[in-house]
């Protein structure tokens, strides 16, 4: 699921979504789009989720900190 979400966000940022329409309404339903900043924040979050899922599949910890 995380990889599909990353692909959808990348598609939206690549210009596949119509940038001229921020929101629209059909009958009583209103649709609003995310801003580019919001999409980038979401993309960063979901890329981290993908990395964490892949690390879990490999059995490697995601956030390892070393102290000297």
């Amino acid at each position: 699921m995380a990889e599909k979400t990353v692909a959808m966000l990348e598609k939206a940022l690549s210009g596949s979504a119509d940038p001229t329409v921020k929101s629209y309404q059909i009958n009583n339903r209103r649709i609003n789009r995310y801003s580019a900043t919001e999409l980038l924040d979401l993309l960063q979050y979901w890329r981290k989720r993908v990395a964490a899922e892949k690390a879990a599949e490999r059995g490697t910890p995601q956030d390892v900190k070393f102290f000297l």
Side-chain angles (χ1 to χ4, degrees):
M1 173 175 144
E3 287 186 34
K4 287 182 182 179
T5 304
V6 167
M8 289 185 334
L9 289 166
E10 288 173 342
K11 184 176 181 180
L13 284 166
S14 72
S16 297
D18 185 357
T20 61
V21 178
K22 180 167 179 137
S23 68
Y24 56 93
Q25 183 172 344
I26 299 173
N27 293 328
N28 292 329
R29 294 182 182 232
R30 175 169 288 286
I31 305 295
N32 293 308
R33 295 181 182 260
Y34 287 105
S35 70
T37 303
E38 291 170 321
L39 287 173
L40 289 170
D41 290 342
L42 286 169
L43 183 58
Q44 180 181 11
Y45 168 81
W46 284 102
R47 282 183 174 162
K48 286 180 182 179
R49 287 279 307 261
V50 168
E53 288 176 6
K54 288 183 177 183
E57 289 172 5
R58 290 189 309 268
T60 50
Q62 180 65 19
D63 292 326
V64 177
K65 296 180 181 172
F66 295 97
F67 296 97
L68 301 175

